[in-house]
Amino acid sequence: MKEHTQLVTAGRHPERYAGMVNTPVFRGSTILHGSMAELKDKIKRRAANEPGVSTYGRYGTPTHHALQEAIAELEGGFRSQVYPSGLAACATALTSLLSAGDHVLLTDSAYTPTRDFLTRVLGRYGVEFTIYDPAVGAGIEASIQPNTRVVYVESPGSETFEVQDIPAIAAAAHRHGAKVLMDNTWGTPLFFKPFEHGVDVSIQAATKYIVGHSDAMLGIVTCTEEMWPLIKRTTQDMGQTAGPDDTYLALRGLRTMNVRLQQHWKSAVEIATWLESRPEVEKVLHPALPSHPGHELWKRDFLGACGLFAIVLKPAPAAAVEAFIDSLQLFGIGFSWGGYESLIIPFDPSGDRSATQWPYTGQALRLHIGLEDPADLVADLEQGLTVLERTQAQLLVA
Ligand SMILES: *Cc1c(COP(=O)(O)O)cnc(C)c1O
């Protein structure tokens, strides 16, 4: 079945819910069991990893099971588990696999809160880590230690957009018995198939494109059959669960994700290409542009691109950059991404890096291209760059 069809069909069981097209929102803690025999049977089936079996609200309701079934099918993993946020998914996935004395290799391009969880929290519990250059590829092998348990990848990095050679990294990790955890939020379950490239555990910040409307927080971990008992047990031990209403919003968002992503992709490439032609812009970082250093890897491994990318401005006074951002009408100043609306946020990766050096001095800006008409977005950016030029000229005179 084509995956765009899967987006529509996955996880749906109208026959169970009076014919309702969508699995309803099931709110609940207590689940009643008809008899002791039924309770014992459910406990047994849950222990055997049968999906959709629950004895208590924390272990999921049919709403959670519907989303988990759909994402596991789309990403191509064995089972999925929902979490109250993307970061909770990253943190629980790491905690599931690691013990005191284990070593983690973490990409320098990782989402900063994930890095903080590893270094600040797991570090306190005796987990060792080494930060590596995301461009390392097969060279990762030289950094693998006898106690390396996890190689954590995020491709492309969600601020700096380095594309990683996941198959090469996974081959090296597996040769030494290490597992590959991937933050696959940028690739989405549609555009990067983690389990075809050697990933063992894939993480989605569903808050982004899966929810797709900036109105809920949610995370999802999907994994291989081998990893599932560890993920399941740790999730349970840590009391992780997610609200059914937010889970429903993710299910609803999922159904239209393909058409939204096609537009985000097309508009982002159009706007990124336009920005490349602008004299105020030093560099545009979008893997789908031929000028991007990771473009060949992106073409080889990805099936599409989303609307998130970065630009670096030529060095300009902070006041001129701020005047540019403030002048924008269609780009909201905000964190996050993956919703229907365009966003812009300045960032400075230099303080978060240890294995690589950010080579630019101008202000870096992350853009999320929403579903507005790209011509309107270009016009908005164009007037903004005029404001930047004008403010800069005024500052020079003053
Ligand atoms: C946003 C984000 C997360 C965290 O998701 P939340 O739902 O905000 O906790 C993790 N990884 C990446 C790449 C993200 O962009």
Side-chain angles (χ1 to χ4, degrees), residues 84-90 110-111 113-114 152 154 156-159 183-186 203-208 216-219 308 336-337 366:
S85 70
L87 183 59
C90 297
Y111 182 62
T114 303
Y152 192 95
E154 180 174 324
S158 61
E159 268 189 348
D183 186 327
N184 190 30
T185 304
W186 192 92
I203 301 155
Q204 287 289 336
T207 304
K208 311 293 164 53
M217 307 283 303
L218 206 74
L308 190 76
S336 198
W337 45 285
R366 191 176 73 174

Side-chain angles (χ1 to χ4, degrees), residues 316-326 387-388 391-392 395:
V321 175
E322 284 174 17
F324 161 63
I325 296 172
D326 283 341
V387 170
L388 184 138
T391 314
Q392 193 167 5
L395 287 167

Side-chain angles (χ1 to χ4, degrees), residues 239-255:
Q240 290 281 14
T241 183
D245 296 271
D246 293 340
T247 304
Y248 180 89
L249 289 171
L251 267 169
R252 184 157 101 156
L254 189 67
R255 305 304 175 195

